[in-house]
Each structure stands twice: as structure tokens, then as C-alpha cells.
Amino acid sequence: MLGALRRDPAWLALALLAIGVLGVFLVWPLGTLLGRSLIGPDGAISLGGYGRFFADRSYREAFSNTLILGTAVTFSSMLVGGSLAIVVARCKFPLAGLVTALPLITLVIPDVVVAAAWVLVLGKQGVVNTLLAPLGVTLPSIYSWWGLIFVMTLNNYVYGFIAVYVGLKSMDSRLEEAAQSLGQPMGRVIRGVTLPMLLPSILAGAMIIFTHVIGSFGIPAILGARTPVLAVKTYNEFVSEMGGSAQMQTTLASLLVALGALLLVQKVVVERRQFQMEAGRSPLASPIAGWRAAGAACSVLLVVAMSLLPALVVGITAFTPTSGPVLQYGSFTLANMTHVLVRAPEALYHSLWLALVATLAGTLFAMISAYLIVKRRSVLTHTLDVLVTLPLTIAGTVLGIALINTFGSGWLVLTGSWIIMALAYFLRRVPASVQAAIGPLHNLKDSIEEASMSLGVSPVRSFFQVVLPVIGPSVAAAAVLMWVTTLSELSATIVLYFGGMSTMPIEIFQQVDSDRLALACAYSLVLLLAIFIPLAIARWIFRLNIGTVE
């Protein structure tokens, strides 16, 4: 099983190095976390933490709220995203092209910015309630179940949209046509052919949404004060137990890891349900007209508008003067932006530096790992594949606590330095870069690389001359996405940051928590500019296809 690597000592060394990096900085901290959840205050092995968890009503409530929220948002997101994908993939109508911008818009705007914007729109003193006040109408509080589900659905439906859309486009239309030619009604064709072929995509999208929701920190922390969830409860436990017993914080974190591990189970299930199809033609979109076209166009326009609304609200409020917590819409000021860019620009510098370090390290690691996983198959590279997927199952708060517990003392102390923050960003975002590089590598024939090596070119040099040009554009696109998502990272940062090393998401969260919404929007606007400017450069100048579906 190791023959391919043994013939190439350089790649064997890189495989061992990659596994070593993930082993030391990912597996070891997780193992330490799980181990500490089994150690009582007296230092003896104990299940007291888990016993206390299930005996204490507040912990049980946080656990059940997490499951309910994850299930509800997964269902609503798949309903919205899946329905939109079916309409766009199978129908041709005006404005359908707008949907290609949805991933770019929705995936890039940080969670904390989305939450802050919807507070401004639907909060007690928000725009909508202010307009409805003369009519004697008041909306239910956004700090509730409906607010959490509504905002998190708008923040996650795009995962369901992408999964179902790609699944529909990859299907061979001849399968449905064959079933119809046998006289089967369309309803039975959908149940017997379309749905089974689409099920892996639906499951993949649903599990991505579920794991993202249960590990989310920003939106529940801002909107869920009355609805405690496990990620926020874990952070609160971490803060309250600093310097004391760590058993409960590690117990809560361990349970979050167990919930996130469902993604690995889903990966196995989906892989077993994969269907092999010969290359064919995907179903063509059928033109629709009349009220159907108008309804479809309005649906797309509504979804795109609601996805863009947070950015619009942030842009306006950033230049709005305030009197205490009261926003004076209709007036204009540069004071908020001056504070962010001139008086306190350190948070921006810190975010840019950490994103740069994590992106450079992550891109290099992704290129090497993807090549090893696809082109140097062995027990080692299969292990690497599993380890690379593991960060997707871990909430940011859990990863931050695990890193602090492991590297807060001992032979390698990283806690209290920017290195541990960059490390967390690297671990959180590298899976996406690896997956982006894996796709093109599957399409690269082994014979091309073998021909290069048969001419006396070394394996490593062949990689740079033959393989890298093929995967380069995809890796570059993933690097840009890694950059922008790292800039917006809050859940790991809230645990790891220290005095003098605040980042933009931390500042936004703290300003929202202090009801300084105009200042929060100023930080949000600068963060969005730092995110979208590199995206614009990569997309339009370097022709990288980032965050869109075609």
C-alpha cells in the first residue's frame, strides 16, 4: 500500500510531514480535550462532567436547543435553497442569471455582520418596527426562536442551493427520458429516478448546514440570549472556569465534537450511495412564460435582495450619526469611519496579518495534500484525507478551547500569541482549499505525469511543471476564499484573542453587545471592503471563478 510513496522519498516525507502537522496541532488537542473531560477536580478519572451535564437543566436545555435549531434551520435552508435550485436548474426565465451571485454574496458576508444588520432592520428600535409604530403594529422580538431560524436560514440556504443545483446539473437527462418513454408518469419518474439520484447531494447539503449551524457562535450569541445553545454555552463555561476546573468546558466541547462527527458519518453514507453514470447531457432548462415566469423571477429577486440587505444596511448605518444608542437616519457623518481607520486601526491590521499567514500556509498545505490524496494513494494518504476532513466537524469555539488546553503550558506554549490564532484559522479553512484542488486532479491523467518522469524529470519537478498548472486556478480561487473567510472568523477568535490582538469580527461583536450599532457597522463596512476587494481582483482581473455556480 505504500509502494507508490516508497518509490518517491520526497513525497513520502511530505506525506509524513502533513500527517504530523495535523497530528500535533489537531488530533493531539482534540485528544487532550476529550481526556480532560474525563478528569475530575481531584485529578482522578471521572464521568462527573457528563453526569452533571445531563443532570443540570440548563445544560440539557442548551443541548436540546442546539439539536432543535440545527434541525429547523437545516430543513428551512434545504427547502429554500433546494426549491430555488430546482427552479433555476430546470426553468429558463428572466433574472435567473442573478442566482449565480448568491454563493459570492451569502458565503462571504460574516455571520456577525448579518446578525448586526438584521437587528437594525427587525430589532425593537429597528427600521421596520419604527415604520410600523404609527400603525400600532409591533413585530415579535428578533431575539427569539423565529429570529434565530430566520436569520440563520438566510445565512445557510446557499449550501442547500449549491448541493442540489450541482446534483441536478450532473445528472444524465437520458435516465429520466428513458423512464418516461416506458409510460411512467412524471411523479413516479421523480420518485423513482430523480430523487434517488439526487439524494446524495441532498444529504451532503443538509449535513453541511447542520454542522455549520450547531457550531455557529456569532448569530446565536447576538440573537439567542433567550435561547441558549451549546456553542455559546461552551464559551460562557470557558470564560467562567478560567483558572478553575476545566471539566465542564471540555465536557460541553466534547459533546459538540460528537455532534459534528455526524459529518464524517454522512461522508461514509454518501460515498456508499454514489451512482456511476456515463458521460451524458444534463437536463436542459425549459423556458417558462406568463405568471410562472413572473413568479420565478420575483422569487429569485426576493432571495437576492434579502441576501444583499445586510450589506446595504451596514453601508448606510456606518455613516449615520448617533445619540447614545439612537441612530439618526437621514443625517451623515464620517466620525464612525474615522474611528475605525484612524483612531483604532489595529483590529484591521491584525485581521489582515492573520489572514495572510493562514492563507499562505493553507494554500501550500492544500496543494501538497490534494496531490498526495489523489495521485499517491496509500494508507498514509487515506489517513491524511480523513484528517483533512476532521476540521469541518469541529466548532470554532471547540477548536480554540482545545488549542488553549494543549498549548497553554508544556514544551510548546502558543497561548497568548498571534501564532495560535493563525494556527486556528489555518486548521479551520484548509479543508476547503484541499477540496478545491482535488477536483481538477481527478481529471488529470496519470499518463501525462508519467510521461514527464519517463523523460528523466524528477517527481517533484514534474509536479511543478505538469500538475501545478492544472490545479493552479482552483487552488488560487480557494486561497482567495480562505483569505476572506479567515478575515470573518469569530468563533475561534473569541476564545483565542488576547489584549492587544483584537480583530475586526471581535470589534463588531463587542460593539453590537454594547449597543454601539453605528460603530459596529463602520467596522463591518471596512471588513466587507477588505473581503470584496480581493474577490473583485481575483474574479475580474485574474479570471478566477470564485463563489459562483454555472
Side-chain angles (χ1 to χ4, degrees), residues 392-416:
L392 294 175
T393 70
I394 304 170
T397 49
V398 172
L399 180 61
I401 290 171
L403 291 174
I404 284 179
N405 283 333
T406 305
F407 301 113
S409 60
W411 65 276
L412 182 59
V413 177
L414 300 177
T415 302

Side-chain angles (χ1 to χ4, degrees), residues 246-315:
Q247 188 172 30
M248 283 313 298
Q249 58 169 307
T250 53
T251 298
L252 268 66
S254 298
L255 289 169
L256 262 179
V257 171
L259 287 177
L262 290 172
L263 185 62
L264 292 179
V265 176
Q266 174 268 343
K267 186 176 186 290
V268 174
V269 172
V270 169
E271 286 177 350
R272 290 182 177 179
R273 292 191 60 89
Q274 292 292 340
F275 295 92
Q276 297 296 323
M277 291 183 290
E278 296 294 331
R281 56 183 176 85
S282 59
L284 297 176
S286 303
I288 57 175
W291 66 269
R292 292 183 179 86
C298 289
S299 299
V300 169
L301 189 61
L302 177 63
V303 172
V304 172
M306 295 187 77
S307 299
L308 279 172
L309 186 60
L312 177 63
V313 171
V314 161

Side-chain angles (χ1 to χ4, degrees), residues 251-422:
T251 298
L252 268 66
S254 298
L255 289 169
L256 262 179
V257 171
L259 287 177
L262 290 172
L263 185 62
L264 292 179
V265 176
Q266 174 268 343
K267 186 176 186 290
V268 174
V269 172
V270 169
E271 286 177 350
R272 290 182 177 179
R273 292 191 60 89
Q274 292 292 340
F275 295 92
Q276 297 296 323
M277 291 183 290
E278 296 294 331
R281 56 183 176 85
S282 59
L284 297 176
S286 303
I288 57 175
W291 66 269
R292 292 183 179 86
C298 289
S299 299
V300 169
L301 189 61
L302 177 63
V303 172
V304 172
M306 295 187 77
S307 299
L308 279 172
L309 186 60
L312 177 63
V313 171
V314 161
I316 294 173
T317 310
F319 298 99
T320 299
T322 62
S323 177
V326 179
L327 295 165
Q328 300 173 351
Y329 285 111
S331 303
F332 179 85
T333 182
L334 291 174
N336 301 319
M337 297 298 291
T338 301
H339 176 89
V340 174
L341 295 174
V342 180
R343 295 180 185 173
E346 294 80 10
L348 176 61
Y349 299 155
H350 296 158
S351 291
L352 294 176
W353 168 247
L354 292 171
L356 176 63
V357 173
T359 299
L360 291 176
T363 303
L364 178 62
F365 186 90
M367 287 191 300
I368 295 171
S369 298
Y371 177 81
L372 289 167
I373 291 168
V374 177
K375 297 299 183 181
R376 293 290 186 270
R377 298 184 186 92
S378 67
V379 174
L380 280 180
T381 58
H382 179 71
T383 302
L384 178 61
D385 189 16
V386 173
L387 292 179
V388 164
T389 307
L390 190 57
L392 294 175
T393 70
I394 304 170
T397 49
V398 172
L399 180 61
I401 290 171
L403 291 174
I404 284 179
N405 283 333
T406 305
F407 301 113
S409 60
W411 65 276
L412 182 59
V413 177
L414 300 177
T415 302
S417 71
W418 65 265
I419 297 176
I420 198 171
M421 298 174 68

Side-chain angles (χ1 to χ4, degrees), residues 404-478:
I404 284 179
N405 283 333
T406 305
F407 301 113
S409 60
W411 65 276
L412 182 59
V413 177
L414 300 177
T415 302
S417 71
W418 65 265
I419 297 176
I420 198 171
M421 298 174 68
L423 175 62
Y425 296 173
F426 164 83
L427 293 172
R428 291 267 288 160
R429 305 305 177 185
V430 79
S433 295
V434 173
Q435 290 301 317
I438 281 178
L441 281 170
H442 280 299
N443 299 324
L444 179 65
K445 293 183 178 180
D446 293 341
S447 58
I448 298 176
E449 189 180 3
E450 291 168 357
S452 174
M453 289 187 286
S454 70
L455 296 175
V457 181
S458 67
V460 175
R461 189 176 175 186
S462 295
F463 169 81
F464 284 100
Q465 293 183 344
V466 177
V467 178
L468 189 57
V470 174
I471 68 172
S474 294
V475 173

